[in-house]
Amino acid sequence: MSKDDGESSADINITVKFSGRSIPISIPKDSTIKQLKSHLQPLTNVLPRGQKLIFKGKLLVDAMTLKESEVMNGAKLMLMASQGLHQGGGPILKEAQTRPISRGKETEYKRPDARTEIVMEKDRLQRWKTTGVIALADCNLKAIPNEVWDCGSSARVLDVNNNSIQDVPNKISCLNSIQKLFLDGNVISDEAILWEGLASLKYLTVLSFTRNQLMNLPSALGSLTSLRQLHVANNKLTSLPNEIGMLTRLEVLKANNNRITTVPECIGECSSLIEVDLSANLLSELPDTLGNLHNLKALHLSNNGLKSLPCTLFKHCLQLATLDLHNTEITMDVLRQFEGWEEFDERRRSKHQKQLDFRVVSSAQFDEGADKN
């Protein structure tokens, strides 16, 4: 190998600045700008066509190499992202910092003595048992209080949204009559959930884990056969478990803003599904079994890499009236080829006409992003 060949294939180290972050990149100097953008996509969640790379005040051209663009070892580039042209949970920005909720001076109070605290806890516990509702959202909690478990079968709803809770212990099985569980906006990760306890909640109809740090949903999820709503948006999920097909009563599935690359075939067994939101993921295709969801009314698929839809979607999903395809590769020419498209379009127009009657502005012509409202 000649000296020139060795130099052309050598890697260079550059830094790409994006939304307050400095992203170190090691890449061959003969790579094109387009190849660099593809390398940046999983690091930023910004599609290559939505990236603008700037070096020394100049916009870099896709077809040119780094060497031709005079990008040398140690160079610093700036990345600007076009709004909306992203996959997954949107552009990856700085890690959000959890801040305690400030109550302000007007709510400052003198700390009660121990006896007063005991009375207050007893009053609270009695209220929870009487109403069946345990409301602990926005309380700066790092763990679910032990007194919650004392509610036992009296509890119907547990709301611990927007705290700093890190784990869901097995003790949650004590709440054996609970119907709704809200755990949104905490810092719960996979290893912090003891699913043995959760899976025993046979009456659970609503489970919400939105805005946490989940990467996987276990097979134990299939034990929650009474579940009607599953909310797992804004996590780091890469897939859905096959056991989701066991949730035959599930009506609402919201798994948007994750990193899901595939949807299992067994999704077609969730025969009660009415609304499915898989927008802002990394999907390139969908299983044909999606056409088995005969009760489906709303399907949200925006901000994915989809180029087509299951061939039976419009033919068999005869209640479907809301379809969001904003920022996908699916064109009107593709949609018109599907059997049942005209009937779907009529339902969509009828729905929008009803919205117009309530003074909701809508377009008479199909817009792949207009149906999200």
Side-chain angles (χ1 to χ4, degrees):
M1 182 175 68
S2 69
K3 183 178 178 182
D4 288 342
D5 290 337
E7 288 180 353
S8 64
S9 61
D11 285 1
I12 60 172
N13 297 313
I14 62 176
T15 302
V16 178
K17 293 190 171 294
F18 174 60
S19 293
R21 301 168 59 215
S22 293
I23 306 173
I25 301 288
S26 181
I27 190 170
K29 67 168 67 174
D30 57 357
S31 299
T32 64
I33 301 302
K34 186 175 182 179
Q35 289 171 327
L36 173 58
K37 288 181 177 181
S38 296
H39 190 81
L40 283 167
Q41 179 180 345
L43 301 175
T44 62
N45 276 357
V46 181
L47 294 170
R49 70 176 186 272
Q51 298 180 29
K52 293 181 180 179
L53 286 168
I54 299 172
F55 179 59
K56 292 184 177 180
K58 294 182 179 180
L59 183 65
L60 300 183
V61 180
D62 283 358
M64 294 183 67
T65 66
L66 293 170
K67 187 174 181 180
E68 291 170 341
S69 304
E70 300 181 350
V71 177
M72 303 299 180
N73 194 53
K76 295 181 179 179
L77 284 64
M78 178 181 293
L79 170 61
M80 298 179 66
S82 299
Q83 186 175 5
L85 291 178
H86 61 266
Q87 288 187 222
I92 300 175
L93 309 176
K94 284 185 176 180
E95 290 293 329
Q97 300 295 319
T98 303
R99 296 184 179 181
I101 297 171
S102 175
R103 301 297 182 187
K105 291 185 178 180
E106 66 275 11
T107 57
E108 288 181 358
Y109 60 94
K110 209 172 182 181
R111 181 177 176 83
D113 58 30
R115 179 182 296 179
T116 305
E117 284 186 345
I118 293 172
V119 172
M120 289 173 63
E121 287 181 3
K122 284 185 176 179
D123 288 345
R124 182 169 69 170
L125 180 57
Q126 187 57 49
R127 183 173 67 253
W128 290 346
K129 287 184 175 181
T130 301
T131 63
V133 178
I134 305 172
L136 289 171
D138 300 295
C139 289
N140 287 332
L141 299 175
K142 292 186 177 179
I144 299 174
N146 284 328
E147 60 187 307
V148 167
W149 316 129
D150 295 334
C151 291
S153 59
S154 300
R156 296 291 184 273
V157 178
L158 173 58
D159 181 356
V160 289
N161 285 348
N162 304 320
N163 284 289
S164 299
I165 292 171
Q166 298 181 18
D167 66 330
V168 181
N170 258 335
K171 286 183 179 180
I172 200 162
S173 61
C174 297
L175 310 181
N176 51 28
S177 296
I178 198 165
Q179 297 171 9
K180 298 180 180 181
L181 179 56
F182 300 99
L183 293 152
D184 301 344
N186 284 284
V187 286
I188 301 169
S189 56
D190 294 350
E191 58 274 12
I193 304 177
L194 296 178
W195 278 92
E196 183 181 350
L198 263 178
S200 69
L201 304 178
K202 301 301 182 183
Y203 299 101
L204 195 65
T205 60
V206 178
L207 177 60
S208 190
F209 271 112
T210 298
R211 291 180 288 114
N212 278 283
Q213 298 176 7
L214 302 181
M215 300 182 71
N216 292 286
L217 293 175
S219 58
L221 181 69
S223 299
L224 299 173
T225 53
S226 295
L227 209 59
R228 295 182 183 276
Q229 295 186 30
L230 177 60
H231 301 264
V232 288
N234 294 93
N235 280 281
K236 300 176 182 179
L237 299 175
T238 57
S239 63
L240 296 173
N242 286 328
E243 289 74 13
I244 199 168
M246 299 170 66
L247 307 181
T248 56
R249 297 183 184 179
L250 192 65
E251 297 176 355
V252 176
L253 171 61
K254 295 201 173 185
N256 50 292
N257 294 86
N258 280 286
R259 301 172 186 175
I260 298 172
T261 56
T262 57
V263 177
E265 294 278 342
C266 59
I267 191 75
E269 297 171 21
C270 300
S271 55
S272 299
L273 273 173
I274 295 173
E275 180 179 4
V276 175
D277 191 344
L278 293 168
S279 57
N281 277 288
L282 303 174
L283 296 170
S284 58
E285 61 180 359
L286 294 169
D288 289 338
T289 54
L290 207 64
N292 296 341
L293 304 179
H294 298 165
N295 293 306
L296 190 64
K297 295 181 179 180
L299 180 59
H300 305 276
L301 299 169
S302 64
N303 293 306
N304 279 287
L306 297 169
K307 295 182 179 179
S308 188
L309 294 170
C311 59
T312 59
L313 183 68
F314 299 123
K315 180 181 178 181
H316 293 161
C317 298
L318 300 181
Q319 296 191 54
L320 185 65
T322 296
L323 179 63
D324 181 5
L325 299 175
H326 189 66
N327 278 340
T328 67
E329 303 293 330
I330 301 173
T331 65
M332 277 298 301
D333 289 338
V334 170
L335 292 172
R336 289 192 184 102
Q337 295 175 14
F338 287 107
E339 184 178 356
W341 160 256
E342 292 182 357
E343 290 80 2
F344 160 76
D345 197 36
E346 182 61 33
R347 289 194 301 273
R348 184 194 67 82
R349 289 169 181 267
S350 176
K351 175 194 169 186
H352 281 277
Q353 185 58 51
K354 290 178 181 177
Q355 290 178 333
L356 283 169
D357 292 341
F358 288 96
R359 303 187 180 211
V360 176
V361 177
S362 176
S363 171
Q365 185 176 356
F366 180 76
D367 174 354
E368 66 273 17
D371 285 347
K372 56 187 174 181
N373 293 320

